[in-house]
Amino acid sequence: MRKLIVSTIMSLDGYFEGPGRNVMALPMDGFFDEHNLERQRAADTLLLGATTYMGLKGYWPAVAENPAVSPAVANTPDVADLHRETGQRNNEMRKFVVSDSLTEDDTAPWTDTTTIVRRADAHEVVAELKDQPGKDILMFGSRTLWNDLLVAGLVDELYLMVGHAVLGEGTPAFSTGPIPPLQLVDTRRRDGSDNVLLHYKVVNRDA
């Protein structure tokens, strides 16, 4: 059975996004980018909510073709190769997007690699994906979806980058549902970053 991995970032005071659903209030620095690419290299499937899917689709195809269009690359040219590889992997990886509103017309230029899953079918589809051979299934963003899957016992590991920003208000990273126990596996830092990466294993309640 392969693993479902969540990779996300939250503020020091526990928010997934700031006021007005502003995700750019979070310090998504080079450490964050490097870690996410590391997780992509270990995966062959992306599982996303509609909002995150549309955001990634609107950004990464152009960066894969020309990393210079990324503001991060414009400010720090030596990360161009990292962003190009990230964009290429986003283009090539198999993608499952959970949505009741998206249609195939919304998926270009990722139509050939995208499967739309209706919300009522999400748990069954994810369980079936986990039973298939392959590498990790990876989730970015998609806060509502990964919280639902976490409560349902379908998430295996959580990589939580705690950013140094204090937002004061916004959307909490975790829902109010019965979150299963989390066992800390590792912590990481990187020189030049004030963020801290926490790696948790989700403990099976029945174990």
Side-chain angles (χ1 to χ4, degrees), residues 38-60:
E38 181 181 299
R39 298 272 53 83
Q40 280 187 294
R41 288 169 175 165
D44 59 14
T45 303
L46 290 175
L47 175 64
L48 306 165
T51 299
T52 299
Y53 174 84
M54 294 301 289
L56 296 181
K57 185 177 73 73
Y59 181 79
W60 285 110

Short mmCIF file of all heavy atoms in Angstrom, two decimals, residues 38-60:
data_model
loop_
_atom_site.label_atom_id
_atom_site.label_comp_id
_atom_site.label_asym_id
_atom_site.label_seq_id
_atom_site.Cartn_x
_atom_site.Cartn_y
_atom_site.Cartn_z
N GLU A 38 11.25 18.01 -3.13
CA GLU A 38 11.68 16.73 -2.56
C GLU A 38 10.52 15.76 -2.44
O GLU A 38 10.62 14.57 -2.75
CB GLU A 38 12.31 16.99 -1.19
CG GLU A 38 12.84 15.77 -0.47
CD GLU A 38 13.41 16.15 0.89
OE1 GLU A 38 14.37 16.95 0.93
OE2 GLU A 38 12.88 15.66 1.91
N ARG A 39 9.38 16.27 -1.99
CA ARG A 39 8.19 15.43 -1.85
C ARG A 39 7.67 15.00 -3.23
O ARG A 39 7.18 13.88 -3.40
CB ARG A 39 7.09 16.18 -1.09
CG ARG A 39 7.48 16.55 0.34
CD ARG A 39 7.18 15.48 1.36
NE ARG A 39 7.72 14.17 1.07
CZ ARG A 39 8.98 13.79 1.35
NH1 ARG A 39 9.83 14.63 1.90
NH2 ARG A 39 9.39 12.56 1.07
N GLN A 40 7.74 15.89 -4.22
CA GLN A 40 7.31 15.53 -5.56
C GLN A 40 8.16 14.41 -6.15
O GLN A 40 7.65 13.53 -6.84
CB GLN A 40 7.37 16.76 -6.48
CG GLN A 40 6.19 17.70 -6.36
CD GLN A 40 6.24 18.78 -7.41
OE1 GLN A 40 7.14 19.61 -7.40
NE2 GLN A 40 5.28 18.77 -8.31
N ARG A 41 9.45 14.46 -5.89
CA ARG A 41 10.34 13.43 -6.42
C ARG A 41 10.02 12.05 -5.86
O ARG A 41 10.33 11.04 -6.48
CB ARG A 41 11.80 13.79 -6.10
CG ARG A 41 12.33 14.96 -6.92
CD ARG A 41 13.65 15.44 -6.38
NE ARG A 41 14.24 16.50 -7.22
CZ ARG A 41 15.24 17.29 -6.83
NH1 ARG A 41 15.76 17.14 -5.61
NH2 ARG A 41 15.71 18.21 -7.65
N ALA A 42 9.39 12.01 -4.67
CA ALA A 42 9.03 10.74 -4.03
C ALA A 42 7.62 10.30 -4.39
O ALA A 42 7.16 9.26 -3.91
CB ALA A 42 9.17 10.87 -2.52
N ALA A 43 6.93 11.07 -5.22
CA ALA A 43 5.52 10.81 -5.54
C ALA A 43 5.32 10.65 -7.04
O ALA A 43 6.17 11.05 -7.84
CB ALA A 43 4.65 11.95 -5.01
N ASP A 44 4.19 10.06 -7.42
CA ASP A 44 3.83 10.00 -8.84
C ASP A 44 2.40 10.48 -9.08
O ASP A 44 1.92 10.48 -10.20
CB ASP A 44 4.02 8.59 -9.41
CG ASP A 44 3.20 7.52 -8.70
OD1 ASP A 44 2.27 7.87 -7.95
OD2 ASP A 44 3.49 6.33 -8.90
N THR A 45 1.71 10.89 -7.99
CA THR A 45 0.31 11.31 -8.10
C THR A 45 0.07 12.52 -7.21
O THR A 45 0.54 12.54 -6.07
CB THR A 45 -0.63 10.16 -7.65
OG1 THR A 45 -0.38 9.00 -8.44
CG2 THR A 45 -2.09 10.56 -7.79
N LEU A 46 -0.64 13.51 -7.73
CA LEU A 46 -1.09 14.66 -6.95
C LEU A 46 -2.59 14.52 -6.68
O LEU A 46 -3.35 14.18 -7.58
CB LEU A 46 -0.84 15.97 -7.69
CG LEU A 46 0.61 16.42 -7.85
CD1 LEU A 46 0.67 17.67 -8.72
CD2 LEU A 46 1.25 16.69 -6.50
N LEU A 47 -2.97 14.78 -5.44
CA LEU A 47 -4.38 14.80 -5.04
C LEU A 47 -4.68 16.20 -4.53
O LEU A 47 -4.05 16.66 -3.58
CB LEU A 47 -4.64 13.75 -3.96
CG LEU A 47 -6.05 13.71 -3.36
CD1 LEU A 47 -7.09 13.33 -4.42
CD2 LEU A 47 -6.10 12.73 -2.20
N LEU A 48 -5.65 16.88 -5.14
CA LEU A 48 -5.86 18.31 -4.89
C LEU A 48 -7.34 18.65 -4.78
O LEU A 48 -8.19 17.99 -5.40
CB LEU A 48 -5.24 19.14 -6.02
CG LEU A 48 -3.77 18.88 -6.34
CD1 LEU A 48 -3.40 19.49 -7.69
CD2 LEU A 48 -2.88 19.44 -5.23
N GLY A 49 -7.62 19.71 -4.02
CA GLY A 49 -8.93 20.33 -4.07
C GLY A 49 -9.00 21.26 -5.27
O GLY A 49 -7.98 21.61 -5.88
N ALA A 50 -10.19 21.71 -5.59
CA ALA A 50 -10.38 22.51 -6.81
C ALA A 50 -9.63 23.83 -6.76
O ALA A 50 -9.01 24.24 -7.76
CB ALA A 50 -11.88 22.76 -7.03
N THR A 51 -9.65 24.53 -5.64
CA THR A 51 -9.00 25.84 -5.55
C THR A 51 -7.49 25.71 -5.74
O THR A 51 -6.87 26.47 -6.50
CB THR A 51 -9.31 26.50 -4.20
OG1 THR A 51 -10.72 26.69 -4.08
CG2 THR A 51 -8.61 27.86 -4.10
N THR A 52 -6.89 24.74 -5.07
CA THR A 52 -5.45 24.54 -5.21
C THR A 52 -5.11 24.09 -6.63
O THR A 52 -4.13 24.55 -7.23
CB THR A 52 -4.95 23.50 -4.19
OG1 THR A 52 -5.21 24.00 -2.87
CG2 THR A 52 -3.46 23.26 -4.34
N TYR A 53 -5.91 23.18 -7.17
CA TYR A 53 -5.68 22.71 -8.54
C TYR A 53 -5.67 23.87 -9.53
O TYR A 53 -4.75 23.99 -10.35
CB TYR A 53 -6.76 21.70 -8.92
CG TYR A 53 -6.71 21.24 -10.36
CD1 TYR A 53 -5.86 20.21 -10.75
CD2 TYR A 53 -7.51 21.84 -11.33
CE1 TYR A 53 -5.82 19.79 -12.08
CE2 TYR A 53 -7.47 21.43 -12.66
CZ TYR A 53 -6.62 20.40 -13.03
OH TYR A 53 -6.56 20.00 -14.34
N MET A 54 -6.67 24.73 -9.45
CA MET A 54 -6.75 25.85 -10.40
C MET A 54 -5.60 26.83 -10.19
O MET A 54 -5.07 27.39 -11.17
CB MET A 54 -8.10 26.56 -10.25
CG MET A 54 -9.30 25.70 -10.64
SD MET A 54 -9.26 25.12 -12.36
CE MET A 54 -9.57 26.69 -13.23
N GLY A 55 -5.18 27.01 -8.93
CA GLY A 55 -4.05 27.90 -8.68
C GLY A 55 -2.76 27.36 -9.26
O GLY A 55 -1.99 28.09 -9.89
N LEU A 56 -2.49 26.07 -9.05
CA LEU A 56 -1.28 25.46 -9.59
C LEU A 56 -1.31 25.44 -11.12
O LEU A 56 -0.30 25.72 -11.78
CB LEU A 56 -1.14 24.03 -9.06
CG LEU A 56 -0.94 23.85 -7.56
CD1 LEU A 56 -0.79 22.36 -7.22
CD2 LEU A 56 0.26 24.62 -7.05
N LYS A 57 -2.47 25.13 -11.68
CA LYS A 57 -2.61 25.05 -13.13
C LYS A 57 -2.39 26.41 -13.80
O LYS A 57 -1.88 26.50 -14.93
CB LYS A 57 -4.00 24.50 -13.48
CG LYS A 57 -4.23 24.25 -14.95
CD LYS A 57 -5.60 23.63 -15.18
CE LYS A 57 -6.71 24.65 -14.99
NZ LYS A 57 -6.77 25.64 -16.10
N GLY A 58 -2.78 27.46 -13.09
CA GLY A 58 -2.61 28.80 -13.64
C GLY A 58 -1.21 29.35 -13.51
O GLY A 58 -0.90 30.39 -14.12
N TYR A 59 -0.36 28.66 -12.76
CA TYR A 59 0.98 29.19 -12.47
C TYR A 59 2.12 28.35 -13.06
O TYR A 59 2.99 28.86 -13.76
CB TYR A 59 1.15 29.30 -10.96
CG TYR A 59 2.48 29.84 -10.51
CD1 TYR A 59 2.74 31.21 -10.55
CD2 TYR A 59 3.49 29.00 -10.05
CE1 TYR A 59 3.96 31.72 -10.13
CE2 TYR A 59 4.71 29.50 -9.63
CZ TYR A 59 4.94 30.85 -9.67
OH TYR A 59 6.14 31.35 -9.27
N TRP A 60 2.10 27.04 -12.79
CA TRP A 60 3.29 26.22 -13.06
C TRP A 60 3.54 25.89 -14.53
O TRP A 60 4.72 25.76 -14.92
CB TRP A 60 3.24 24.95 -12.23
CG TRP A 60 3.56 25.23 -10.79
CD1 TRP A 60 2.71 25.19 -9.72
CD2 TRP A 60 4.82 25.64 -10.26
NE1 TRP A 60 3.36 25.54 -8.57
CE2 TRP A 60 4.66 25.81 -8.87
CE3 TRP A 60 6.09 25.86 -10.82
CZ2 TRP A 60 5.71 26.21 -8.04
CZ3 TRP A 60 7.13 26.25 -10.00
CH2 TRP A 60 6.94 26.42 -8.63
#
